[in-house]
Amino acid sequence: MFDYFKGFITDKRKTSKGTYLSIETAGVGYLLEITDRDFELVEVNEDKPQKIYSLLTHREDAMSLYGFLNKETRDIFQILLSVSGVGAKMAIALLNEFDACDVISLVIDGNFKELTRAKGVGPKLAQKIILELKDKLMKTELPKSSSQFVPQTQAISDTQAVLLSLGYEEDEIEDAIKKVMPTVQEASNSEEVLRKALTTLSM
C-alpha cells in the first residue's frame, strides 16, 4: 500500500517495544519501526527531505508500519515474513544482526549456524528459514536474454535469480551487472557480485 515516504525525519527513538522514527510528509507524521542498523544511520533533520521505504503489515489486532533506508532491506524483510513462524519482530532481529545481502548469502549457503546469532533465532528456526527461502530466492526462471551477459558465470546466474525474486526488472538487473562486473575482484564470488549489484540498484 505504501511503497515509500519522502519527507522530514522529525524524531527517532528506542523503546522497550522497538526502534522507531517519525517522518512528516504532506503535513502528516508517520511512525515507522526500523532496524537498529538503520537507526544508527538515519538523521533527524527537519530541513532536508529523506526517503524511507516502507511496508504495512496487518494482523487481526493491529496494523504496523515498518521503515527501511534501502529497498533491498525492505524486500528481504517481506520475504522473511513469508516463512511460517517468522513474524515482524523476528525479521527485524535478523536484520539487526545482518544486512540484507548477508541474509541472502547465508540462506543460499545453507549456513543456519550463523543465522542463530540473531536474537531469538534457534537452530530449528534457522534451518526452517533456509529450507523455505532458498527455493524462493533461487528458483526464479532466468530470462532468455541472460545469455547476453559475457561471461555468463554461476555468480551472475545466482545474482540474476535473487534479484528477480526481489522484484527487480530484467533490464535494470542487466544494467547493474554490466556496471559492476569490471569492479568485481573475483568474478566467481556470488556474494560480491550480488552485493555490488544491490548497491548499484539502490542508488
Side-chain angles (χ1 to χ4, degrees):
M1 184 176 182
F2 300 110
D3 185 28
Y4 63 84
F5 294 95
K6 190 171 185 179
F8 303 103
I9 307 299
T10 59
D11 184 36
K12 67 175 185 177
R13 57 189 180 275
K14 290 187 176 184
T15 72
S16 59
K17 294 184 178 180
T19 305
Y20 302 89
L21 65 76
S22 296
I23 184 168
E24 181 181 335
T25 178
V28 179
Y30 296 90
L31 183 67
L32 294 84
E33 186 168 355
I34 60 175
T35 67
D36 290 344
R37 287 172 174 267
D38 282 353
F39 182 86
E40 298 300 326
L41 296 173
V42 74
E43 297 181 4
V44 175
N45 190 331
E46 297 189 33
D47 297 317
K48 179 182 177 182
Q50 299 177 62
K51 189 175 185 178
I52 303 295
Y53 291 93
S54 61
L55 182 70
L56 175 67
T57 64
H58 185 270
R59 303 195 311 267
E60 290 184 3
D61 57 342
M63 289 192 296
S64 300
L65 269 172
Y66 295 89
F68 308 89
L69 294 183
N70 299 300
K71 179 181 180 294
E72 62 268 21
T73 308
R74 189 271 309 275
D75 294 343
I76 288 298
F77 176 79
Q78 190 168 14
I79 287 177
L80 285 168
L81 293 182
S82 70
V83 178
S84 55
V86 175
K89 294 297 182 185
M90 189 68 70
I92 288 288
L94 283 159
L95 293 171
N96 284 340
E97 186 67 36
F98 309 103
D99 67 24
C101 196
D102 285 336
V103 171
I104 293 170
S105 296
L106 292 173
V107 168
I108 292 173
D109 293 342
N111 191 345
F112 76 92
K113 289 185 178 179
E114 189 70 6
L115 283 177
T116 61
R117 283 173 43 196
K119 185 178 180 181
V121 178
K124 288 185 178 180
L125 181 57
Q127 291 179 68
K128 189 175 186 181
I129 290 171
I130 288 170
L131 182 65
E132 293 191 24
L133 289 192
K134 190 168 185 177
D135 281 347
K136 289 183 180 180
L137 291 173
M138 300 301 295
K139 72 180 181 182
T140 307
E141 184 177 350
L142 297 181
K144 294 180 181 178
S145 59
S146 64
S147 60
Q148 296 175 8
F149 288 117
V150 181
Q152 181 66 23
T153 66
Q154 186 62 47
I156 289 177
S157 296
D158 291 346
T159 298
Q160 285 180 276
V162 171
L163 294 177
L164 284 168
S165 72
L166 293 178
Y168 290 101
E169 299 294 331
E170 293 175 17
D171 289 346
E172 58 183 343
I173 293 172
E174 182 173 350
D175 288 342
I177 293 178
K178 284 181 177 179
K179 287 178 182 177
V180 304
M181 286 312 293
T183 71
V184 172
Q185 295 182 358
E186 189 178 344
S188 61
N189 187 326
S190 297
E191 182 176 351
E192 184 183 2
V193 177
L194 175 60
R195 186 178 293 277
K196 289 193 172 185
L198 276 171
T199 300
T200 298
L201 287 165
S202 66
M203 290 179 177

